[in-house]
Amino acid sequence: MQHHAQALQRALADAGLEKSAIDGYCTAGGMAAGDDPVTMAEYLGIRHRYIDGTMTGGSSFEFHVQHAAAAIREGLCDTVLVTYGSDYLSRLGRTLGTGGMFRGSRVAGPMQFEAPYGNSLVGSYALVARRHMHEFGTTSDQLAEIAVGVREYAGLNPNALYRDPITVKDVLASRVVADPLHKLDCCVISDGGGAVILTTSERARDMRQPAVSVLGAAGGMTHWNIGQMGDYTTSAAAVCAPEAFARAGLRPSDVDTLQFYDSFTITVLVLLEDAGFCKKGEGGAFVAEGHLRRGGKLPLNTDGGGLSSCHPGMRGIFLLIEAVRQLRGQAGAAQVPECEVALAIGSGGWLSCIGAVLLGKGNA
């Protein structure tokens, strides 16, 4: 809960805003006891007219942006706070909360039909990776390129968990966690928190920082449990990303930086294809050409991503924060030149619930 509070304090200072101005609140509970939206609103001292506790895993915060923007347009509230906080790393070895995926030995709902077979969270993504390899000839070397490029950006972030450079050979030499995914294909585990504030265009002009506009947002779901995923090579991003582009009046060629959920390297590859940056099955070759690396045409996860910087259970809010830093021109050594449009895509569950948000420089 203190991660939520610290993030809120920093966001208020960043915006030059008093907490009393906030009349809407969003968060995603379920990772630990007491992190539901009403408990958190009380703890943070938020007197809200609008509240949203949508929980779609790591993509929750992209859904929150979509919902908050709609609420502001409809006049349900004027200024919405979105927070997240987690002591996921510190709590390892203890029972993690009372809900969501972390129920100790108790398995409820549809997952009880998968749990007896011993599949793990990493194993679920390994199914996706193996199917992609089978259908399209994708290789472990190509997946490794994603981890290498994100680590390059992590080296520029003093807060990143892992900063030492790595090579494709290093990724392939790391131990296999769930075939074909190696340790360095998998996200880190960390504590962390974040906060973003959304408001009207008029109010944004009076804030301390340059405004960043929500140009378009959409979400979608194909399944929740991995056993119900209809096509292991295609996610709901194939629906919600084009929808977000249409709402923004933009195309993939207009995007300057990608902030994609990188729980695993295969997550990025599937989202990349589904969002329309290359054809289905061509993601491996696209990545191998260096497009996502520093200096490439679509720099990916410029804070170091979940693969190297931080992943405190759910990471979608950090995609939004880094996109805003880039559009403000405040990313330091990791700054993408002439960054005008950023695409953040969060993934929740097992490539289950996908949220896409297009953000633009300035008060559009």
Side-chain angles (χ1 to χ4, degrees):
M1 295 177 82
Q2 292 176 6
H3 286 289
H4 284 264
Q6 185 178 66
L8 164 60
Q9 292 164 354
R10 292 177 176 178
L12 290 173
D14 182 68
L17 190 69
E18 294 294 325
K19 187 169 68 173
S20 58
I22 296 170
D23 60 354
Y25 180 58
C26 303
T27 194
M31 291 297 289
D35 65 349
D36 59 274
V38 289
T39 303
M40 286 308 310
E42 178 184 65
Y43 180 76
L44 298 173
I46 304 299
R47 296 183 177 273
H48 53 78
R49 296 192 290 139
Y50 174 83
I51 190 166
D52 183 356
T54 297
M55 169 59 173
T56 59
S59 61
S60 300
F61 313 97
E62 282 68 39
F63 279 85
H64 291 162
V65 168
Q66 180 187 7
H67 298 172
I72 291 170
R73 285 196 302 268
E74 290 298 314
L76 302 180
C77 54
D78 296 317
T79 303
V80 180
L81 167 71
V82 183
T83 69
Y84 177 62
S86 169
D87 55 356
Y88 190 56
L89 177 61
S90 299
R91 291 171 64 86
L92 280 179
R94 293 178 260 168
T95 299
L96 291 179
T98 57
M101 298 181 226
F102 307 107
R103 297 179 181 269
S105 61
R106 296 169 58 193
V107 180
M111 196 179 292
Q112 65 186 294
F113 300 106
E114 297 178 8
Y117 298 95
N119 190 29
S120 64
L121 188 151
V122 184
S124 297
Y125 282 84
L127 291 173
V128 176
R130 180 56 70 195
R131 188 66 195 179
H132 204 282
M133 290 176 169
H134 174 75
E135 288 199 26
F136 307 116
T138 308
T139 68
S140 291
D141 296 60
Q142 292 170 338
L143 292 178
E145 285 282 352
I146 296 170
V148 171
V150 171
R151 178 64 67 90
E152 186 177 13
Y153 275 114
L156 305 176
N157 180 2
N159 296 317
L161 201 58
Y162 295 114
R163 302 182 63 201
D164 293 337
I166 56 174
T167 65
V168 169
K169 186 178 293 186
D170 292 329
V171 178
L172 300 184
S174 63
R175 65 182 176 86
V176 174
V177 179
D179 186 31
L181 298 178
H182 300 78
K183 178 182 178 181
L184 293 179
D185 284 302
C186 306
C187 64
V188 303
I189 297 174
S190 73
D191 295 345
V196 295
I197 296 171
L198 295 92
T199 192
T200 63
S201 296
E202 294 74 22
R203 286 176 173 79
R205 296 189 182 100
D206 298 327
M207 299 298 172
R208 180 172 294 163
Q209 296 288 352
V212 169
S213 292
V214 178
L215 304 178
M221 173 177 170
T222 51
H223 64 287
W224 183 246
N225 295 281
I226 192 66
Q228 299 302 309
M229 189 173 186
D231 179 350
Y232 281 122
T233 68
T234 302
S235 74
V239 175
C240 68
E243 192 172 322
F245 277 117
R247 290 175 178 174
L250 297 173
R251 297 172 295 177
S253 58
D254 295 314
V255 175
D256 299 306
T257 182
L258 302 177
Q259 305 299 327
F260 280 6
Y261 210 100
D262 57 342
S263 46
F264 304 92
T265 52
I266 187 61
T267 310
V268 171
L269 198 71
V270 172
L271 295 179
L272 187 71
E273 294 174 345
D274 290 345
F277 292 96
C278 58
K279 293 180 180 179
K280 179 57 63 179
E282 296 181 1
F286 186 89
V287 168
E289 291 170 2
H291 297 303
L292 307 186
R293 299 281 291 272
R294 189 181 182 200
K297 66 179 183 180
L298 285 169
L300 169 75
N301 295 354
T302 49
D303 64 339
L307 289 168
S308 289
S309 178
C310 71
H311 193 294
M314 299 190 293
R315 195 174 189 276
I317 200 162
F318 300 101
L319 311 178
L320 301 167
I321 292 168
E322 182 62 16
V324 168
R325 289 177 66 240
Q326 286 288 345
L327 294 168
R328 287 179 179 176
Q330 298 173 348
Q335 181 64 48
V336 174
E338 300 178 4
C339 189
E340 302 283 338
V341 177
L343 173 61
I345 298 186
S347 171
W350 297 263
L351 277 168
S352 309
C353 296
I354 310 296
V357 176
L358 280 157
L359 299 173
K361 185 175 182 178
N363 200 335

